[in-house]
Amino acid sequence: TDDIEAKMSLAYYDWVNIEGQLSDPFVPLNATDAGNTDNSRPAFAQKGNTYRPIRNITPTALNGFGTTNQFQYFGLATQFKQIAWSGRLDFNHFEPVQISLVGDYVKNLAFDQSAINAVAVNNRGGGGAGAFDGGDTAWYMGVNFGKPFTTFDKRGDWVVGLGYRHVESDAVVDGLNDSVFGGGGTNMEGYTINAALALSKSTVVRLAYMSAKQIGGPPIQTDVVLIDFMAKF
């Protein structure tokens, strides 16, 4: 309608060969001996995803029957096949002030908790020794008041927003997720308060406060204050 606009999208992502692969049995004698699946470990990561050992090290007298010389690498413990929904509802009755409701939902359909529990080395309860405590779902809900940030065109344009997100350990790939909220990565939940103000037609200052806590594993609290100054030419 003239006063209400809705947008939604649905996507499916199938990641190929992103998970860690268990090697053939071998005995690494030093840190440079390579396993045949070493390249299945991530080239870049932040934090939050669940990891598993990828070297199938044979216990022998050369490594104290599994007590020494464990030159191990780790890869992602799950595949990623994600269904993702995004939606936005804009109320324009009070123009130029717009009220927007936004939401996102992601679920990793390849996640198998029982299989991961057998191999996971992190995201465990009880200080790291308990049952696997990860998950496969992420969602975000938020509301914005003011002029849409992408349409700022004069001094005094403004927008404020409030949002809450819940990102379980293996819903998304932590290396590609938000690098600011919670210090980056996954396995975090919490809220964000932000505001932006146009200082001129081409300059904007933005302030955000993000409070996050870890979902699974040991408790971690992270608070971030972000200040952006943007100029366009």
Side-chain angles (χ1 to χ4, degrees):
T1 70
D2 291 340
D3 289 343
I4 301 175
E5 182 178 9
K7 296 180 180 180
M8 288 184 287
S9 66
L10 187 67
Y12 177 73
Y13 301 93
D14 188 350
W15 300 74
V16 179
N17 295 328
I18 193 171
E19 71 276 11
Q21 303 286 344
L22 186 64
S23 74
D24 294 334
F26 81 114
V27 181
L29 299 179
N30 55 61
T32 61
D33 285 348
N36 65 341
T37 61
D38 284 358
N39 62 356
S40 70
R41 69 189 191 275
F44 173 77
Q46 296 190 99
K47 68 177 185 339
N49 283 162
T50 305
Y51 283 81
R52 58 156 300 159
I54 61 173
R55 287 182 165 185
N56 187 3
I57 300 175
T58 303
T60 70
L62 296 174
N63 56 28
F65 296 98
T67 61
T68 62
N69 297 334
Q70 299 296 296
F71 301 104
Q72 185 61 266
Y73 277 136
F74 300 89
L76 297 180
T78 181
Q79 299 179 11
F80 284 85
K81 300 179 186 295
Q82 301 153 310
I83 187 167
W85 173 89
S86 295
R88 181 183 182 97
L89 188 62
D90 296 326
F91 298 90
N92 301 307
H93 181 73
F94 305 103
E95 287 187 339
V97 173
Q98 182 183 78
I99 302 173
S100 299
L101 303 178
V102 294
D104 291 282
Y105 178 85
V106 180
K107 187 174 182 65
N108 181 9
L109 302 178
F111 183 86
D112 184 338
Q113 181 146 350
S114 60
I116 296 174
N117 186 43
V119 297
V121 296
N122 64 325
N123 292 330
R124 292 185 174 275
F132 176 62
D133 200 20
D136 62 358
T137 303
W139 54 267
Y140 172 84
M141 295 182 64
V143 58
N144 298 319
F145 300 89
K147 190 170 184 179
F149 179 75
T150 56
T151 65
F152 280 12
D153 59 3
K154 66 180 184 299
R155 180 179 180 180
D157 286 346
W158 60 273
V159 65
V160 296
L162 173 66
Y164 191 91
R165 75 188 78 185
H166 176 93
V167 185
E168 294 175 354
S169 62
D170 298 291
V172 297
V173 181
D174 68 26
L176 302 178
N177 202 33
D178 189 336
S179 62
V180 179
F181 181 81
T186 64
N187 197 27
M188 304 293 289
E189 65 179 356
Y191 63 90
T192 300
I193 302 172
N194 63 80
L197 176 67
L199 304 180
S200 70
K201 182 178 180 180
S202 57
T203 56
V204 177
V205 63
R206 183 170 71 101
L207 177 66
Y209 172 70
M210 304 178 182
S211 180
K213 63 180 180 180
Q214 187 158 286
I215 298 172
I220 298 176
Q221 176 79 30
T222 305
D223 297 301
V224 176
V225 176
L226 178 69
I227 300 175
D228 285 330
F229 180 79
M230 292 158 280
K232 57 184 179 181
F233 303 92

